[in-house]
């Protein structure tokens, strides 16, 4: 057993929401410009206000491995679950599928603070959980054990967190609960269900790498509807006829835009070739027959994508294995499962026409 204690210096702005009654909280306002440790010898920048930050909300079940605790809850109920958590509060949770992604966000923040010491344009990570506040001690101990910098918690005691996500001005919500992800998407919040691959590919510790599918992720599902209804030839014809017509935005367009805005801060300091954020488009579209519309749309939006892979229907898993992203977003479970088989952390965006055809393999689901 690993013995730990709560560090009152490191986690000094813990914020706990215990219900979803819509009560407005302004606890991030009125904080000091800098926060010092107990001896006043060191200081760190203040936490960013939500309106300035890129806010990433992650659930406990994707940031950490909580399968054992989930089994206690399912088999013995909430009271036994709370007792178990309290009895084991000095034992840290193991890292979950979102852990490398969160560590990469923190690495980007470190670089941004070097270049812009007073800027609040940073990633701000919020831990969102259905847990009762009693479990907070174990979560804080785990965060300190893994040297994570997560100051903001939202513990809803079993209530839906969606209202709080809107209050946090969340740019991306990652969860193991597909139903809550769908609720978030319905409220206009970029969201995805995370999955744990059976094997894990090593990823960069210094560069955040994010890969996106195109249709029904960055773009709307307009073109995918044509393909599902009329087949590939009609899809190609539709794209040729509409190559100068912009695609409508999809659920994760705003998140790519937020990443791009942070990239530009590095470019402004001459760091384009050493930027700690890299983005990828990995699409089943063909380059010559349907890729031009996607690229024209991104350019018209003012968004840059660092690398674009048009696979013309080829499997995405082998390409993602080479990219080694911290997270890959796709609307089709077939591609999510294929990525997971190759060791990629994949996340499902349950949006668009493809959801009528999706299936899910239980072995891939992050419990």
């Amino acid at each position: 057993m690993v013995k730990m204690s709560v560090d009152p210096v490191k986690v000094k702005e813990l914020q706990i929401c215990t219900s979803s009654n819509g009560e407005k909280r302004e606890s991030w306002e009125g904080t000091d410009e800098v926060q010092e440790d107990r001896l006043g010898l060191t200081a760190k920048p203040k936490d960013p206000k939500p309106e300035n930050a890129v806010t990433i909300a992650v659930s406990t079940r994707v940031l950490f491995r909580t399968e054992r605790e989930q089994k206690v809850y399912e088999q013995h109920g909430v009271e036994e679950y709370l007792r178990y958590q309290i009895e084991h509060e000095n034992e840290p949770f193991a890292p979950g599928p979102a852990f490398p992604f969160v560590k990469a966000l923190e690495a980007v923040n470190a670089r941004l603070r070097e270049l812009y010491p007073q800027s609040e344009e940073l990633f701000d990570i919020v831990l969102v959980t259905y847990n009762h506040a009693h479990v907070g001690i174990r979560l804080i101990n785990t965060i300190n054990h893994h040297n994570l910098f997560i100051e903001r918690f939202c513990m809803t005691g079993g209530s839906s967190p969606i209202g709080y996500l809107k209050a946090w001005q969340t740019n991306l919500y990652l969860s193991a609960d597909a139903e809550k992800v769908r609720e978030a998407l319905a409220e206009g919040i970029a969201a995805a269900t995370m999955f744990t691959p059976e094997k894990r590919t090593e990823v960069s510790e210094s560069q955040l790498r994010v890969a996106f599918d195109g249709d029904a992720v960055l773009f709307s599902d307009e073109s995918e509807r044509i393909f599902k209804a009329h087949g590939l030839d009609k899809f190609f014809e539709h794209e040729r006829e509409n190559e100068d017509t912009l695609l409508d935005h999809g659920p994760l367009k705003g998140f790519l835009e937020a990443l791009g805005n942070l990239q530009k801060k590095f470019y402004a300091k001459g760091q384009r070739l050493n930027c700690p954020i890299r983005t990828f488009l990995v699409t089943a579209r063909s380059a010559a027959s349907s890729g031009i519309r996607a690229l024209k749309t991104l350019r018209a939006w003012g968004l840059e994508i660092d690398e674009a892979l048009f696979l013309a229907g080829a499997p995405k898993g082998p390409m993602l294995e080479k990219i080694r992203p911290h997270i890959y977003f796709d609307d089709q479970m077939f591609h999510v499962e294929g990525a997971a088989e190759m060791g990629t952390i994949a996340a499902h965006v349950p949006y668009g026409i493809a959801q009528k055809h999706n299936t899910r393999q239980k072995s891939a689901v992050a419990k």
Side-chain angles (χ1 to χ4, degrees):
M1 180 182 294
V2 180
K3 294 292 184 181
M4 295 175 291
S5 61
V6 180
D7 183 345
V9 179
K10 186 175 182 181
V11 184
K12 64 194 301 183
E13 197 185 339
L14 174 64
Q15 301 177 20
I16 298 177
C17 307
T18 56
S19 71
S20 58
N21 59 11
E23 179 184 355
K24 187 177 181 181
R25 300 178 186 268
E26 302 291 348
S27 53
W28 51 73
E29 295 187 356
T31 54
D32 294 332
E33 263 322 284
V34 295
Q35 300 169 351
E36 297 184 353
D37 69 11
R38 285 175 291 193
L39 299 179
L41 297 178
T42 60
K44 65 180 181 65
K46 64 179 180 179
D47 297 312
K49 296 181 177 65
E51 61 266 27
N52 299 327
V54 177
T55 300
I56 311 296
V58 293
S59 75
T60 305
R61 290 169 59 196
V62 297
L63 184 56
F64 304 121
R65 300 297 295 268
T66 62
E67 293 94 330
R68 182 183 304 170
E69 290 73 17
Q70 186 69 17
K71 185 175 293 185
V72 171
Y73 171 74
E74 293 172 354
Q75 295 179 352
H76 304 287
V78 65
E79 297 303 325
E80 180 64 22
Y81 169 81
L82 290 174
R83 186 188 66 80
Y84 180 90
Q85 292 280 33
I86 292 171
E87 287 180 352
H88 295 80
E89 64 186 19
N90 288 322
E91 299 176 19
F93 294 113
F99 189 91
F101 175 66
V102 169
K103 291 293 286 185
L105 298 179
E106 294 188 344
V108 173
N109 277 355
R111 289 279 303 277
L112 283 168
R113 287 190 171 108
E114 289 176 1
L115 297 174
Y116 302 93
Q118 301 304 317
S119 176
E120 291 191 355
E121 294 181 67
L122 303 162
F123 290 112
D124 191 20
I125 302 158
V126 179
L127 185 63
V128 177
T129 174
Y130 297 114
N131 274 303
H132 189 279
H134 286 325
V135 184
I137 292 177
R138 188 178 186 191
L139 291 172
I140 295 170
N141 283 338
T142 299
I143 285 168
N144 288 342
H145 173 77
H146 291 296
N147 294 315
L148 296 173
F149 187 80
I150 301 177
E151 299 282 10
R152 307 195 199 278
F153 280 33
C154 189
M155 308 185 71
T156 68
S159 299
S160 174
I162 303 303
Y164 292 124
L165 296 180
K166 297 183 75 173
W168 289 115
Q169 302 181 38
T170 300
N171 296 90
L172 177 67
Y173 172 49
L174 299 174
S175 175
D177 188 330
E179 185 58 38
K180 289 297 176 286
V181 166
R182 283 190 285 270
E183 285 185 33
L185 288 170
E187 293 294 329
I189 300 168
T193 311
M194 288 203 76
F195 297 83
T196 301
E198 294 183 0
K199 66 175 183 177
R200 187 76 61 85
T201 300
E202 293 296 321
V203 293
S204 173
E205 296 182 358
S206 58
Q207 184 182 62
L208 172 66
R209 301 168 75 86
V210 182
F212 300 88
D213 180 28
D215 295 290
V217 176
L218 293 179
F219 314 120
S220 73
D221 67 339
E222 168 208 324
S223 298
E224 198 161 316
R225 286 178 178 275
I226 299 294
F227 170 69
K228 296 292 186 185
H230 304 289
L232 190 59
D233 289 341
K234 189 67 176 179
F235 165 77
F236 287 148
E237 179 184 338
H238 177 266
E239 293 304 292
R240 284 193 299 270
E241 292 175 351
N242 292 276
E243 71 173 44
D244 292 322
T245 302
L246 300 184
L247 290 158
D248 199 0
H249 68 84
L252 265 69
K253 180 249 189 179
F255 179 53
L256 175 61
E257 187 173 25
L259 293 177
N261 289 338
L262 293 183
Q263 284 181 307
K264 289 173 183 176
K265 293 178 72 68
F266 290 100
Y267 301 166
K269 296 288 188 177
Q271 298 286 308
R272 179 180 284 270
L273 298 181
N274 192 32
C275 182
I277 302 172
R278 193 161 185 84
T279 56
F280 302 80
L281 173 64
V282 183
T283 174
R285 283 175 175 257
S286 302
S289 56
S290 59
I292 191 169
R293 190 180 182 196
L295 294 177
K296 284 184 175 180
T297 297
L298 289 171
R299 186 170 65 186
W301 287 346
L303 300 182
E304 294 187 36
I305 201 88
D306 292 303
E307 298 188 32
L309 283 73
F310 294 92
L311 302 184
K316 296 182 179 181
M319 294 296 103
L320 291 167
E321 185 181 28
K322 298 301 181 183
I323 293 172
R324 296 175 180 260
H326 292 87
I327 191 167
Y328 168 62
F329 298 99
D330 202 296
D331 67 305
Q332 299 194 51
M333 282 303 305
F334 173 79
H335 294 305
V336 170
E337 292 164 355
E341 288 174 1
M342 303 296 290
T344 297
I345 299 294
H348 178 229
V349 182
Y351 173 85
I353 188 65
Q355 305 322 301
K356 294 183 178 180
H357 306 273
N358 269 327
T359 58
R360 180 170 63 183
Q361 294 179 0
K362 292 182 180 179
S363 62
V365 178
K367 297 294 185 182

